């Protein structure tokens, strides 16, 4: 089991759009395994994207609403119907803010062998698919926040009021 460390906000890899995967080879399969080990290696995790472990590739894994898997080079179709619920991120540990997302999402992409794959979900699974796909575009969930919620989130991040590994001691 290879549980990789999670990159924390401030690391440039989190703000860099990921490169599409072009080789569906043993290296990609090892990355998917490391991502899944990292996801399942601690309780309460719903997804991990490659940039969160320092890899610039369009790959993520998820475990939400009883669905577990991975997706390579995803594209999303989103419903116009919205949901609003608290959202957090492993790269901004300990902070949760109400975040608006599409209620339904369908993600198209590929599995680790290059076979086409489609994942559809509502509620929490839809939120996880959107959150992880955002990571691949260099976006964090706090980028979607607006108004007072956004100002509060940015204040707390600037003040270091999240549970960063350096603060855990």
């Amino acid at each position: 089991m290879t549980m990789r460390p999670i990159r924390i906000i401030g690391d440039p890899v989190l703000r860099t759009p990921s490169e599409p995967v072009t080789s569906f080879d043993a290296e990609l399969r090892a990355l998917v395994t490391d991502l899944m080990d990292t996801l399942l290696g601690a309780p309460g995790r719903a997804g991990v994207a490659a940039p969160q472990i320092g890899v610039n590739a369009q790959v993520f894994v998820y475990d939400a609403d009883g669905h577990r898997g991975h997706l390579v080079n995803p594209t999303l179709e989103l419903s116009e119907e919205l949901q609003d619920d608290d959202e957090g991120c492993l790269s901004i540990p300990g902070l949760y803010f109400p975040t608006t997302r599409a209620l339904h999402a369908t993600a198209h992409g590929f599995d680790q062998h290059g076979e086409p794959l489609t994942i559809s979900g509502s509620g929490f699974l839809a939120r996880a698919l959107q959150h992880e796909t955002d990571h691949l575009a260099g976006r964090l969930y706090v980028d979607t926040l607006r108004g007072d919620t956004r100002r509060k989130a940015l204040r707390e991040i600037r003040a270091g009021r999240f549970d960063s590994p350096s603060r855990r001691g």
Side-chain angles (χ1 to χ4, degrees):
M1 179 172 185
T2 304
M3 192 167 150
R4 307 261 295 263
I6 299 292
R7 302 293 179 100
I8 302 299
I9 191 168
D11 189 316
V13 72
L14 296 172
R15 296 303 195 165
T16 304
S18 298
E19 295 294 324
V21 171
T22 57
S23 296
F24 293 81
D25 55 12
E27 186 176 333
L28 174 62
R29 288 187 292 283
L31 173 59
V32 169
T33 298
D34 284 357
L35 284 165
M36 193 60 76
D37 287 349
T38 302
L39 172 66
L40 301 176
R45 294 181 171 181
V48 176
Q52 290 182 282
I53 63 168
V55 178
N56 184 350
Q58 290 186 10
V59 183
F60 69 78
V61 296
Y62 61 92
D63 185 11
D65 281 349
H67 300 273
R68 180 184 292 169
H70 68 278
L71 197 57
V72 179
N73 298 339
T75 60
L76 288 179
E77 293 176 29
L78 303 174
S79 70
E80 290 185 24
E81 192 176 2
L82 301 176
Q83 61 174 314
D84 194 33
D85 203 355
D86 280 353
E87 192 165 319
C89 181
L90 297 173
S91 294
I92 313 172
L95 291 186
Y96 300 87
F97 292 97
T99 306
T100 302
R101 296 280 189 182
L103 181 59
H104 309 284
T106 299
H108 302 280
F110 301 91
D111 70 10
Q112 62 188 328
H113 304 287
E115 296 298 320
L117 186 60
T118 299
I119 305 151
S120 293
S122 297
F124 188 62
L125 177 56
R127 179 175 295 280
L129 294 172
Q130 294 167 77
H131 182 108
E132 300 310 325
T133 301
D134 277 354
H135 274 299
L136 303 182
R139 290 188 303 264
L140 298 172
Y141 85 99
V142 294
D143 299 333
T144 70
L145 303 177
R146 300 287 175 254
D148 289 339
T149 304
R150 180 173 173 80
R151 284 187 286 281
K152 180 179 179 187
L154 294 177
R155 267 194 313 274
E156 291 193 29
I157 290 167
R158 278 191 300 273
R161 292 191 192 126
F162 54 90
D163 186 22
S164 72
S166 62
R167 292 169 51 104
R168 285 188 211 146

